Amino acid sequence: WSPELSSDLYRIDGWGAPYFTVNSSGDISVRPHGTDTLPHQEIDLLKVVKKASDPINSGGLGLQLPLVVRFPDVLKNRLESLQSAFDYAVQSEGYEAHYQGVYPVKCNQDRFVVEDIVKFGSGFRFGLEAGSKPELLLAMSSLCKGSSEGLLVCNGFKDAEYISLALVARKLQLNTVIVLEQEEELDLVIDISRKMAVQPVIGLRAKLRTKHSGHFGSTSGEKGKFGLTTTQILRVVRKLKESGMLDCLQLLHFHIGSQIPSTELLADGVGEAAQVYSELVRLGAGMKFIDIGGGLGIDYDGTKSSDSDVSVGYGLQDYASTVVQAVRFVCDRKNVKHPVICSESGRAIVSHHSVLIFEAVSSTSTRSQELSSMSLHSFVEKLNDDARADYRNLSAAAIRGEYDTCMLYADQLKQRCVEQFKDGNLDIEQLAAVDAVCDFVSKAIGAS
């Protein structure tokens, strides 16, 4: 065995890059600065766990497993990488506005995570997104120490108390945007903002036709449960105009779904949203921001596949360039000033930065039943004609050294025996015997 074989088995260079790898000792090694990590900066995770769990009298910290080990430098690198990807896309596409992200605190509300994001992101206007009153209080507290330009995006269901709290945040000079997710929220915003004598900044969430059909797309599409239809958007615009507050409408928000699998789907959704944005500008709204929501995916299994719920077929730069190109194309065609682009990436920012360490309490063995020639003969005797033919074909292919054919006949043999067992024509010892035959074939030819 070797570190290279270990790396291949666990595909760590697929899903872990650029933060996790296998070092020369065969241990998991963490690269806190991604591709910029120098050799002496790599962290051996086994040494960290040993130091944390060893008794205090042995020089350790005496902590009990399970442990969550956090790497704030990985968090910092993720923020910087996301910002750099958009900065490059903005510059290379000739885009005439900037990008500034917000972190959705629901993704991980840990105080240290949120405070680190505000601290690391303050240099490039990074803000926070809240979806409830407790999250809003948390975000207000944290953003007081962040960038004055960082957005505080207020999503989720809003009652009078939530809206009042958001307007208090605006009084505290936080860059707060109240995003309408339901049409009736507008009446509350207008009424409470007048009573509190606060000029609100309003956004609205559009219910796009573009739908993410994967596991994480259930809240997207025309029949999604969040957001406003085009008819509702027009009514909101009309009511704001009648109230003399159309200039308060400054942000368009949408969400295609988490873990967007491909840039084609992303471009389609962003393009549709940019059309809605341009129409709001035409109707006289004071638009400044387009918030593309979450969806920046993580390649959890390292396959770089757009056909999987646990992978994505693009990288950070592909994602950023697709968004910028789609918004610029529509706005240029409509002769609309380029908006500030926001995104609400959660998993893409925090997923890599912490590791759960727990103790293995047991293990399983795949030891197969040993087959003698007598038991093998007895096994074959009980097979039906089709299964016996598979066994003979398997034997012949093995003699000829045709290993792919061996696996084909072994699979067919196992399937026929399972069907015989279900029909009551094969006993459990015979079913175990066919498993042993197929395992022996797999090991003999080195198949996984």
Side-chain angles (χ1 to χ4, degrees), residues 222-347:
E222 202 173 354
K223 294 185 179 178
K225 54 188 170 182
F226 302 115
L228 307 180
T229 64
T230 49
T231 304
Q232 290 173 318
I233 289 171
L234 288 172
R235 285 202 294 260
V236 164
V237 168
R238 188 160 54 246
K239 189 171 286 190
L240 283 170
K241 191 171 185 179
E242 290 166 357
S243 304
M245 296 174 65
L246 191 52
D247 59 327
C248 296
L249 180 55
Q250 297 183 12
L251 180 143
L252 175 70
H253 171 49
F254 66 95
H255 181 62
I256 301 170
S258 297
Q259 195 75 2
I260 295 171
S262 68
T263 51
E264 290 79 16
L265 177 63
L266 178 66
D268 194 24
V270 174
E272 183 187 346
Q275 295 284 359
V276 177
Y277 180 93
S278 299
E279 288 299 295
L280 290 170
V281 171
R282 181 180 66 80
L283 293 170
M287 303 302 292
K288 294 180 182 177
F289 304 93
I290 185 165
D291 180 349
I292 65 173
L296 173 53
I298 292 293
D299 189 4
Y300 288 106
D301 63 4
T303 60
K304 292 183 169 50
S305 167
S306 58
D307 298 322
S308 168
D309 284 332
V310 293
S311 183
V312 290
Y314 57 84
L316 264 182
Q317 193 58 63
D318 300 322
Y319 176 86
S321 297
T322 299
V323 170
V324 173
Q325 285 170 13
V327 177
R328 182 184 63 79
F329 177 77
V330 173
C331 289
D332 286 353
R333 192 174 61 187
K334 295 280 189 176
N335 199 27
V336 167
K337 183 181 177 182
H338 296 170
V340 173
I341 296 174
C342 307
S343 72
E344 300 178 4
S345 298
R347 77 175 73 216

Side-chain angles (χ1 to χ4, degrees), residues 1-17 20-29 31 301-302:
W1 197 253
S2 68
E4 290 76 20
L5 289 171
S6 196
S7 179
D8 287 344
L9 176 65
Y10 297 107
R11 300 180 66 96
I12 193 167
D13 292 329
W15 58 261
F20 300 94
T21 188
V22 175
N23 62 24
S24 57
S25 303
D27 301 335
I28 289 181
S29 183
R31 293 171 171 166
D301 63 4

Side-chain angles (χ1 to χ4, degrees), residues 130-151:
S132 65
K133 283 175 276 189
E135 288 178 4
L136 180 52
L137 286 166
L138 184 158
M140 287 168 64
S141 169
S142 301
L143 273 181
C144 285
K145 302 168 190 170
S147 167
S148 60
E149 293 180 73
L151 291 172

Side-chain angles (χ1 to χ4, degrees), residues 53-323:
S53 59
D54 277 355
I56 294 173
N57 57 17
S58 303
L61 300 177
L63 299 176
Q64 295 288 312
L65 296 176
L67 297 170
V68 174
V69 183
R70 293 182 58 247
F71 299 95
D73 285 326
V74 172
L75 201 59
K76 184 171 185 281
N77 186 267
R78 290 304 289 171
L79 283 167
E80 291 172 347
S81 299
L82 180 62
Q83 186 69 38
S84 295
F86 271 99
D87 286 347
Y88 178 82
V90 163
Q91 188 175 7
S92 60
E93 291 294 326
Y95 194 79
E96 294 169 2
H98 64 268
Y99 164 82
Q100 60 182 92
V102 297
Y103 168 67
V105 296
K106 66 175 176 283
C107 195
N108 187 328
Q109 302 100 330
D110 187 287
R111 172 187 169 186
F112 299 106
V113 174
V114 178
E115 288 181 351
D116 278 349
I117 286 171
V118 170
K119 179 175 72 175
F120 298 145
S122 62
F124 30 82
R125 313 179 187 94
F126 221 86
L128 298 174
E129 181 267 350
S132 65
K133 283 175 276 189
E135 288 178 4
L136 180 52
L137 286 166
L138 184 158
M140 287 168 64
S141 169
S142 301
L143 273 181
C144 285
K145 302 168 190 170
S147 167
S148 60
E149 293 180 73
L151 291 172
L152 173 51
V153 177
C154 300
N155 289 333
F157 173 78
K158 298 168 198 69
D159 58 11
E161 193 175 10
Y162 186 141
I163 291 166
S164 299
L165 194 57
L167 291 170
V168 167
R170 188 136 195 91
K171 273 192 171 184
L172 293 171
Q173 304 300 307
L174 294 174
N175 198 3
T176 312
V177 183
I178 300 172
V179 178
L180 306 176
E181 304 233 17
Q182 296 180 337
E183 190 179 354
E184 55 266 28
E185 292 171 355
L186 179 59
D187 292 327
L188 282 172
V189 172
I190 292 172
D191 184 46
I192 297 170
S193 63
R194 283 174 175 167
K195 287 177 182 174
M196 293 179 65
V198 179
Q199 181 85 336
V201 172
I202 298 171
L204 58 83
R205 177 169 176 171
K207 192 180 288 188
L208 301 184
R209 264 72 167 184
T210 305
K211 181 165 175 58
H212 170 6
S213 58
H215 170 71
F216 295 100
S218 59
T219 58
S220 65
E222 202 173 354
K223 294 185 179 178
K225 54 188 170 182
F226 302 115
L228 307 180
T229 64
T230 49
T231 304
Q232 290 173 318
I233 289 171
L234 288 172
R235 285 202 294 260
V236 164
V237 168
R238 188 160 54 246
K239 189 171 286 190
L240 283 170
K241 191 171 185 179
E242 290 166 357
S243 304
M245 296 174 65
L246 191 52
D247 59 327
C248 296
L249 180 55
Q250 297 183 12
L251 180 143
L252 175 70
H253 171 49
F254 66 95
H255 181 62
I256 301 170
S258 297
Q259 195 75 2
I260 295 171
S262 68
T263 51
E264 290 79 16
L265 177 63
L266 178 66
D268 194 24
V270 174
E272 183 187 346
Q275 295 284 359
V276 177
Y277 180 93
S278 299
E279 288 299 295
L280 290 170
V281 171
R282 181 180 66 80
L283 293 170
M287 303 302 292
K288 294 180 182 177
F289 304 93
I290 185 165
D291 180 349
I292 65 173
L296 173 53
I298 292 293
D299 189 4
Y300 288 106
D301 63 4
T303 60
K304 292 183 169 50
S305 167
S306 58
D307 298 322
S308 168
D309 284 332
V310 293
S311 183
V312 290
Y314 57 84
L316 264 182
Q317 193 58 63
D318 300 322
Y319 176 86
S321 297
T322 299
V323 170

